[in-house]
Amino acid sequence: MTFITNASNKNVDLIKANTFEVGMFQSVNSIKMNVSIQKTTDKDLTVISKDNKDEILISEHVRKNGSSYHSKYDLNELEDGKYTFEFKNGDEKLVEEINLVTTKPTKIYRQIALN
């Protein structure tokens, strides 16, 4: 699956390293986080998500052959709080913190805030 984020979209958080860049955004009307990665090298990449206790919730390996990657992570079962997504490619590491917040009494009004 290929997905290219548009950096001009205000809902996309774009972070860059020397050999890859990551776009993250919340799916409309859901608690799903879209992650899109564009690589400029043939190194493997690892995606790790952790909770505020540093426990690993998600760990995925992105193979070196392929310049793009896209995945959607369902965060609906997680409690409100801070979480991190780590992207590692050899010595390069990017960390993106998100905050899951319920603004009304029901989970219908949950939001993901990218920090």
Side-chain angles (χ1 to χ4, degrees):
M1 218 185 288
T2 301
F3 187 87
I4 299 173
T5 59
N6 182 350
S8 66
N9 184 336
K10 294 178 183 175
N11 296 325
V12 175
D13 193 22
L14 187 63
I15 51 178
K16 295 182 181 184
N18 289 328
T19 60
F20 65 96
E21 63 182 36
V22 178
M24 297 177 66
F25 63 95
Q26 179 179 356
S27 293
V28 177
N29 297 325
S30 75
I31 302 300
K32 293 182 181 174
M33 178 59 70
N34 290 278
V35 175
S36 179
I37 301 170
Q38 295 293 317
K39 298 187 322 176
T40 59
T41 183
D42 62 351
K43 290 184 179 179
D44 290 351
L45 187 126
T46 304
V47 179
I48 298 171
S49 179
K50 296 180 181 179
D51 63 13
N52 62 355
K53 298 174 188 167
D54 215 30
E55 294 181 20
I56 295 175
L57 305 173
I58 299 166
S59 180
E60 282 194 72
H61 185 77
V62 179
R63 298 270 178 213
K64 63 182 177 182
N65 39 333
S67 62
S68 64
Y69 169 83
H70 177 76
S71 190
K72 188 180 290 191
Y73 301 99
D74 188 349
L75 308 179
N76 196 44
E77 298 299 318
L78 299 178
E79 295 181 15
D80 285 0
K82 293 188 184 222
Y83 299 88
T84 58
F85 278 84
E86 295 179 5
F87 306 92
K88 297 179 184 180
N89 182 355
D91 292 334
E92 287 186 284
K93 176 180 172 181
L94 292 176
V95 178
E96 183 68 16
E97 186 178 279
I98 64 168
N99 194 15
L100 190 57
V101 180
T102 302
T103 58
K104 300 275 183 181
T106 65
K107 288 188 176 185
I108 294 172
Y109 298 101
R110 295 185 86 195
Q111 292 182 330
I112 301 170
L114 294 163
N115 296 332

